[in-house]
Amino acid sequence: MIVRELEEIVELRLKRRAARHGRSMEEEVREILCNAIRDEQGPQIGLGSRIAAHFEGKGLDTDLPELRGIEARSASFGE
Protein backbone atom coordinates (compact mmCIF):
# COMPACT_ATOMS: atom_id res chain seq x y z
CA MET A 1 0.00 0.00 0.00
CA ILE A 2 1.29 3.41 -0.91
CA VAL A 3 -0.14 6.59 0.57
CA ARG A 4 0.45 9.69 -1.50
CA GLU A 5 0.13 13.37 -0.64
CA LEU A 6 0.45 12.84 3.10
CA GLU A 7 0.87 16.16 4.87
CA GLU A 8 4.33 16.70 6.35
CA ILE A 9 2.93 17.28 9.83
CA VAL A 10 1.06 13.96 9.69
CA GLU A 11 4.22 12.13 8.67
CA LEU A 12 6.21 13.84 11.41
CA ARG A 13 3.63 12.96 14.06
CA LEU A 14 3.49 9.35 12.85
CA LYS A 15 7.27 9.11 13.13
CA ARG A 16 7.18 10.51 16.67
CA ARG A 17 4.37 8.19 17.68
CA ALA A 18 6.20 5.20 16.23
CA ALA A 19 9.36 6.16 18.10
CA ARG A 20 7.41 6.43 21.39
CA HIS A 21 6.10 2.90 20.84
CA GLY A 22 9.47 1.54 19.72
CA ARG A 23 8.24 0.65 16.24
CA SER A 24 8.97 1.60 12.68
CA MET A 25 6.58 4.02 11.02
CA GLU A 26 5.25 1.17 8.89
CA GLU A 27 4.54 -0.95 11.98
CA GLU A 28 2.84 2.00 13.67
CA VAL A 29 0.56 2.62 10.67
CA ARG A 30 -0.25 -1.10 10.53
CA GLU A 31 -1.22 -1.04 14.23
CA ILE A 32 -3.37 2.08 13.75
CA LEU A 33 -5.20 0.49 10.83
CA CYS A 34 -5.76 -2.80 12.69
CA ASN A 35 -7.15 -0.93 15.70
CA ALA A 36 -9.46 1.12 13.47
CA ILE A 37 -10.94 -2.03 11.95
CA ARG A 38 -11.14 -3.80 15.31
CA ASP A 39 -13.13 -0.86 16.73
CA GLU A 40 -15.74 -1.26 14.00
CA GLN A 41 -16.40 -4.92 14.75
CA GLY A 42 -19.40 -5.66 16.92
CA PRO A 43 -20.93 -3.59 19.68
CA GLN A 44 -18.66 -1.41 21.78
CA ILE A 45 -18.15 -2.37 25.41
CA GLY A 46 -19.15 0.47 27.72
CA LEU A 47 -16.81 2.06 30.24
CA GLY A 48 -18.65 0.57 33.22
CA SER A 49 -18.40 -2.92 31.73
CA ARG A 50 -14.68 -2.47 31.05
CA ILE A 51 -14.09 -1.30 34.63
CA ALA A 52 -16.10 -4.23 36.02
CA ALA A 53 -14.14 -6.69 33.86
CA HIS A 54 -10.85 -5.16 35.06
CA PHE A 55 -11.74 -5.77 38.71
CA GLU A 56 -13.48 -9.12 38.23
CA GLY A 57 -12.23 -11.68 40.73
CA LYS A 58 -10.60 -9.04 42.90
CA GLY A 59 -12.06 -7.99 46.20
CA LEU A 60 -11.60 -7.01 49.80
CA ASP A 61 -9.94 -9.33 52.28
CA THR A 62 -11.49 -7.62 55.32
CA ASP A 63 -15.03 -6.82 56.34
CA LEU A 64 -16.14 -3.21 56.23
CA PRO A 65 -18.49 -2.39 59.13
CA GLU A 66 -20.86 -0.33 56.97
CA LEU A 67 -21.36 -3.40 54.80
CA ARG A 68 -22.38 -5.48 57.84
CA GLY A 69 -25.25 -3.41 59.23
CA ILE A 70 -23.17 -0.95 61.29
CA GLU A 71 -23.91 2.67 60.47
CA ALA A 72 -21.02 4.70 59.09
CA ARG A 73 -19.83 7.64 61.24
CA SER A 74 -18.26 10.95 60.32
CA ALA A 75 -14.50 11.13 60.66
CA SER A 76 -13.11 12.57 63.89
CA PHE A 77 -9.97 14.70 63.66
CA GLY A 78 -9.02 14.83 67.34
CA GLU A 79 -11.59 17.39 68.43
Side-chain angles (χ1 to χ4, degrees), residues 11 15 27 30 51 61:
E11 185 176 352
K15 284 180 182 179
E27 289 172 313
R30 190 179 304 118
I51 291 171
D61 295 324

mmCIF file of all heavy atoms in Angstrom, residues 11 15 27 30 51 61:
data_model
loop_
_atom_site.group_PDB
_atom_site.id
_atom_site.type_symbol
_atom_site.label_atom_id
_atom_site.label_comp_id
_atom_site.label_asym_id
_atom_site.label_seq_id
_atom_site.Cartn_x
_atom_site.Cartn_y
_atom_site.Cartn_z
ATOM 1 N N GLU A 11 3.072 13.034 8.729
ATOM 2 C CA GLU A 11 4.216 12.128 8.671
ATOM 3 C C GLU A 11 5.119 12.319 9.892
ATOM 4 O O GLU A 11 5.561 11.344 10.508
ATOM 5 C CB GLU A 11 5.010 12.349 7.388
ATOM 6 C CG GLU A 11 6.144 11.358 7.226
ATOM 7 C CD GLU A 11 6.881 11.508 5.906
ATOM 8 O OE1 GLU A 11 6.433 12.278 5.036
ATOM 9 O OE2 GLU A 11 7.921 10.840 5.756
ATOM 10 N N LYS A 15 5.904 9.513 12.777
ATOM 11 C CA LYS A 15 7.272 9.107 13.129
ATOM 12 C C LYS A 15 7.496 9.227 14.633
ATOM 13 O O LYS A 15 8.080 8.337 15.260
ATOM 14 C CB LYS A 15 8.300 9.961 12.372
ATOM 15 C CG LYS A 15 8.447 9.592 10.928
ATOM 16 C CD LYS A 15 9.472 10.474 10.234
ATOM 17 C CE LYS A 15 9.563 10.118 8.758
ATOM 18 N NZ LYS A 15 10.523 10.961 8.039
ATOM 19 N N GLU A 27 5.195 -0.153 10.940
ATOM 20 C CA GLU A 27 4.540 -0.951 11.983
ATOM 21 C C GLU A 27 3.481 -0.132 12.719
ATOM 22 O O GLU A 27 2.408 -0.644 13.044
ATOM 23 C CB GLU A 27 5.567 -1.459 12.995
ATOM 24 C CG GLU A 27 6.483 -2.543 12.463
ATOM 25 C CD GLU A 27 7.591 -2.868 13.445
ATOM 26 O OE1 GLU A 27 8.238 -1.930 13.970
ATOM 27 O OE2 GLU A 27 7.806 -4.071 13.676
ATOM 28 N N ARG A 30 0.433 0.196 10.551
ATOM 29 C CA ARG A 30 -0.253 -1.096 10.534
ATOM 30 C C ARG A 30 -1.095 -1.271 11.808
ATOM 31 O O ARG A 30 -2.253 -1.689 11.756
ATOM 32 C CB ARG A 30 0.771 -2.228 10.404
ATOM 33 C CG ARG A 30 0.152 -3.576 10.144
ATOM 34 C CD ARG A 30 1.194 -4.685 10.002
ATOM 35 N NE ARG A 30 2.180 -4.396 8.966
ATOM 36 C CZ ARG A 30 3.496 -4.240 9.171
ATOM 37 N NH1 ARG A 30 4.006 -4.359 10.362
ATOM 38 N NH2 ARG A 30 4.306 -3.993 8.171
ATOM 39 N N ILE A 51 -14.577 -1.436 33.263
ATOM 40 C CA ILE A 51 -14.089 -1.305 34.635
ATOM 41 C C ILE A 51 -14.441 -2.555 35.430
ATOM 42 O O ILE A 51 -13.602 -3.105 36.149
ATOM 43 C CB ILE A 51 -14.662 -0.037 35.299
ATOM 44 C CG1 ILE A 51 -14.063 1.212 34.643
ATOM 45 C CG2 ILE A 51 -14.387 -0.041 36.807
ATOM 46 C CD1 ILE A 51 -14.728 2.506 35.068
ATOM 47 N N ASP A 61 -10.266 -8.207 51.404
ATOM 48 C CA ASP A 61 -9.938 -9.329 52.283
ATOM 49 C C ASP A 61 -10.539 -9.134 53.675
ATOM 50 O O ASP A 61 -10.585 -10.063 54.472
ATOM 51 C CB ASP A 61 -8.417 -9.475 52.425
ATOM 52 C CG ASP A 61 -7.759 -9.842 51.110
ATOM 53 O OD1 ASP A 61 -8.359 -10.603 50.339
ATOM 54 O OD2 ASP A 61 -6.644 -9.355 50.874
#
